[in-house]
Amino acid sequence: MAKPIIGLALGGGVARGWAHIGVMRRLLKLGIVPDIVCGTSVGALVGGAYLAGHLDTLEDFARSLTKRRLLGLLDLHFGGSSLIGGKRLINLMQEHLGDLEIDDVDRQFVAVTAELATGHEIWVRQGPMVEAIRASFALPGVFSPVKVEDRWLVDGALVNPVPVSVCRALGARFVIAISLSADTFGKSTIEEGLSQGTATFDDGEEFSRSVLRAASRPDRLMTRQLFGSGANAPGMGTVLLSALNIVMERLSRSRMAGDPPDVLISPQVGHIGLLEFERADEMIKLGEQAVTKELEAIHEAMTVLH
């Protein structure tokens, strides 16, 4: 008998999304190739890169990130509708994905977003891949909303953090979901060093308040606004990401209780901060390990659904 149509639901999780790469690597080694890929937020980034043939490129980028490089990619700015302009990240995506259209990939892809005006769940299934990914991770207050067909769209984690329902709607018979918020009792959303104004880089150089003082005043103020400053209240970025994490965890439980996946893969990444992008090596490994733990469930489901 023909294999069932396989759907892959990649959940949101900010930096923890690098675990998706490890999950993808392990599933592909097992010969499990998805026919439908649906992603929310960072899940849309990883899923889109995979279907575009750039999973290797994304993995290399993730593994190369350091705190210094991350801060260099965050073009903080005053005014507008967000803390981060996002132009540097957009340019980086366009460098590799170019003008690729979603229709150009050989399988179904959906980037889950939310309409800012109504709160409706919007599935971006056509148009430029970069635009769809941008809209899916446009966390309100952090990144600017993205206008797609006269709608202002924001991060899909606000409405559907792990898009199992989207895979089902598109005809998937076997759905594998990857949730990054199941391991909830872990580290804060931002690693302690940066939130306290001090972080140690890979080369041993210290990023401290003295560096911030050397920066221009607007940059210094925006960095403090995003990350907070020492023992004072957490920064705006920390608060927004913490709030998103709460919403994702609660909403994921509710939605998957009503529409459960056939297999749920939950990398244990709760001890990793939502902005610790530089820990890709660890997260990718945790993603691979999470698949290994579910091998029996995967094989059982595949046997029943064949």
Side-chain angles (χ1 to χ4, degrees), residues 115 122 124 126-127 131 146-153:
E115 185 178 13
I122 305 297
V124 183
Q126 296 178 317
E131 182 180 70
V146 178
K147 194 171 187 180
V148 178
E149 296 181 354
D150 296 323
R151 290 173 166 171
W152 286 105
L153 304 180

Side-chain angles (χ1 to χ4, degrees), residues 39 65 71 77 79 100 121 127 138 151 158 161 180 192 195 199 204-205 214-215 232 247 251 271 275 291 297 300:
L65 277 177
L71 289 172
H77 69 113
L100 179 71
E121 182 177 332
R151 290 173 166 171
L158 297 173
L180 304 175
E192 297 172 1
S195 65
E205 193 174 47
N232 296 329
V247 170
L251 191 53
H271 63 288
L275 290 179
V291 176
E300 287 182 359

Side-chain angles (χ1 to χ4, degrees), residues 18-89:
W18 295 148
H20 285 318
I21 297 174
V23 171
M24 293 291 307
R25 292 295 190 200
R26 189 77 176 98
L27 290 176
L28 292 173
K29 286 180 181 178
L30 293 170
I32 300 174
V33 180
D35 304 289
I36 300 166
V37 177
C38 301
T40 295
S41 197
V42 69
L45 171 62
V46 177
Y50 161 65
L51 291 179
H54 285 284
L55 189 61
D56 288 345
T57 303
L58 182 62
E59 181 174 348
D60 290 343
F61 166 75
R63 291 184 185 275
S64 72
L65 277 177
T66 61
K67 295 181 181 72
R68 177 186 291 278
R69 189 175 184 191
L70 173 61
L71 289 172
L73 290 171
L74 301 181
D75 45 340
L76 307 177
H77 69 113
F78 286 105
S81 57
S82 65
L83 288 172
I84 299 174
K87 290 183 179 180
R88 297 171 190 171
L89 292 173

Side-chain angles (χ1 to χ4, degrees), residues 14 26 30 159-160 208 244:
V14 199
R26 189 77 176 98
L30 293 170
V159 291
N160 197 349
S208 64
L244 175 65

Side-chain angles (χ1 to χ4, degrees), residues 38-40 110-124 151 153-167 169 251 255 259:
C38 301
T40 295
V110 172
V112 178
T113 71
E115 185 178 13
L116 187 60
T118 64
H120 292 164
E121 182 177 332
I122 305 297
W123 301 350
V124 183
R151 290 173 166 171
L153 304 180
V154 294
D155 198 314
L158 297 173
V159 291
N160 197 349
V162 186
V164 175
S165 58
V166 186
C167 291
L251 191 53
R255 297 205 59 158
D259 193 1

